[in-house]
Amino acid sequence: MRGKGIPMNDIKERIREKALSLGADLIGFSDLTRFRGSNPLQDPTVIFPEAKSVIGLGFRVLRGSTRGIEEGSVYYQYITMGIENIEENIMPVTLLRLSSFIEDMGYDAVPQKMHRNIVAGEDDTHPEIRHDAVYRGIQNEIQLDFKKAAVACGLGEIGLGGHVLTPEFGPYQRFCFILTNAEIEPDPIPDPTLCDRCGECIAACPGKAHEEKVNIEHIAGKEYMMHRIDNWQCAVYYKGAARRTNPFMPPDAFKEHPARDKIMNGEIKVTPETARQILDQTEFYPGCRHSMVASICGRACERACYIHLEKQNRLGRKFHTPFRKRKAWELKELKGGT
């Protein structure tokens, strides 16, 4: 067994160096005590009973991938480069190679990549996936809570808008994990310092998808205040139901819907049933493979959060110019409606 007798700290540093060399931008480690009390369908030890450590990997989303949406010019770069290529190309290769590296040391490595087509709720959805491609209520499907796992691995904190924020990239990263029976010293969990609860992420949503109630979550001994997101509401406006920020919406969009103006003005509160009806009529821009739909809102909530963190000088990664250089883009003349 190649890894037998390697000190714990040496194993950790070897894995850290290898992960970064394979393309991960962030890496953190947790033991299993931080997951105690988890929903059984989100418990690492249910997935892998012999697991002793969880390794979290973060991959940056280039802020430049949202530049076109910020300017109202090019929209496909965010869905292709900011989501699809990270999730379906870069992340799996890094997971497989790092897992192989761990197994070469004589330890099991169980890769964990989010399956966005599976949601636990009987009538829930995932905004990045076509609603008719989502499998709902599958019994006994076990999947980590990726946000909580990222916090447990010391990678970041959860902000008011429900996003994981890191000192390096703000809300702009995506995560995957490896469960292993290697015993690795956990990284410290930082105190929440990034989110100042300004609420700009919530105000930026064109569809008001954040629920009004503020929830308090306790994760690995830390307390986080956040608004949950209504995934159906988010899906409708993620895909482009708001006319003010959708240059592709035709003048006759939603013409048969009795609440047409409310939909396009972001004033309707959808149900799963009405959301499906609206989404079926919201084919303004092509999606990608893997059932992914294009984001017309460009995650306006995350952009607003990033811009605020940058203005407050809270991000460790600096740029020569600020992300938002002028007033946020929107249509000057609205098509359709009253």
Side-chain angles (χ1 to χ4, degrees), residues 60-131:
R60 77 173 84 179
V61 176
L62 295 175
R63 75 174 197 168
S65 66
T66 64
R67 171 56 59 192
I69 299 176
E70 171 75 6
E71 305 297 343
S73 57
V74 179
Y75 282 69
Y76 68 89
Q77 294 293 359
Y78 175 61
I79 179 66
T80 56
M81 300 304 294
I83 301 176
E84 185 183 41
N85 275 297
I86 294 173
E87 291 281 349
E88 304 299 336
N89 295 320
I90 297 173
M91 190 180 288
V93 170
T94 302
L95 266 179
L96 288 170
R97 290 182 176 174
L98 185 60
S99 295
S100 296
F101 178 77
I102 293 169
E103 293 199 348
D104 283 345
M105 290 195 291
Y107 297 100
D108 287 328
V110 183
Q112 299 293 296
K113 178 182 172 294
M114 184 178 291
H115 197 330
R116 283 170 166 74
N117 293 67
I118 294 177
V119 298
E122 291 284 351
D123 212 3
D124 199 0
T125 196
H126 194 294
E128 294 175 353
I129 301 296
R130 285 195 346 260
H131 76 88

Side-chain angles (χ1 to χ4, degrees), residues 125-291:
T125 196
H126 194 294
E128 294 175 353
I129 301 296
R130 285 195 346 260
H131 76 88
D132 58 355
V134 174
Y135 289 74
R136 299 176 175 86
I138 295 179
Q139 297 298 312
N140 299 320
E141 174 61 27
I142 302 170
Q143 185 163 238
L144 295 177
D145 184 318
F146 275 42
K147 291 181 181 180
K148 292 181 179 179
V151 172
C153 288
L155 292 170
E157 66 183 76
I158 298 181
L160 187 67
H163 311 104
V164 177
L165 310 178
T166 69
E168 294 85 355
F169 307 112
Y172 281 146
Q173 61 272 304
R174 289 174 174 257
F175 299 102
C176 59
F177 300 87
I178 296 174
L179 312 181
T180 179
N181 58 349
E183 189 173 349
I184 304 172
E185 181 183 4
D187 285 333
I189 299 177
D191 291 327
T193 58
L194 292 171
C195 180
D196 60 6
R197 301 176 190 148
C198 69
E200 291 187 24
C201 56
I202 295 165
C205 177
K208 304 176 181 65
H210 293 83
E211 297 177 356
E212 291 185 9
K213 180 182 177 183
V214 178
N215 296 282
I216 297 177
E217 292 270 5
H218 292 90
I219 306 171
K222 304 290 183 180
E223 182 177 285
Y224 302 92
M225 295 179 62
M226 69 188 79
H227 291 267
R228 297 190 191 280
I229 297 174
D230 182 326
N231 285 328
W232 284 108
Q233 192 83 13
C234 178
V236 165
Y237 290 94
Y238 178 92
K239 198 176 179 184
R243 60 181 171 180
R244 189 173 296 277
T245 53
N246 186 350
F248 311 106
M249 185 180 288
D252 62 348
F254 310 119
K255 65 180 180 180
E256 304 298 331
H257 202 290
R260 178 176 185 247
D261 285 349
K262 287 187 175 182
I263 294 171
M264 293 192 294
N265 291 330
E267 298 170 350
I268 189 172
K269 178 62 178 176
V270 304
T271 64
E273 181 180 1
T274 57
R276 288 185 177 94
Q277 296 170 0
I278 296 168
L279 287 166
D280 286 339
Q281 299 176 52
T282 314
E283 296 296 337
F284 307 133
Y285 199 83
C288 293
R289 296 174 298 167
H290 310 102
S291 303

Side-chain angles (χ1 to χ4, degrees), residues 12-13 20 25 29 34 139 206 234 250 268 332:
K12 181 175 182 177
E13 288 311 308
L20 297 176
D25 293 293
F29 300 85
R34 296 174 180 177
Q139 297 298 312
C234 178
I268 189 172
K332 294 180 180 178

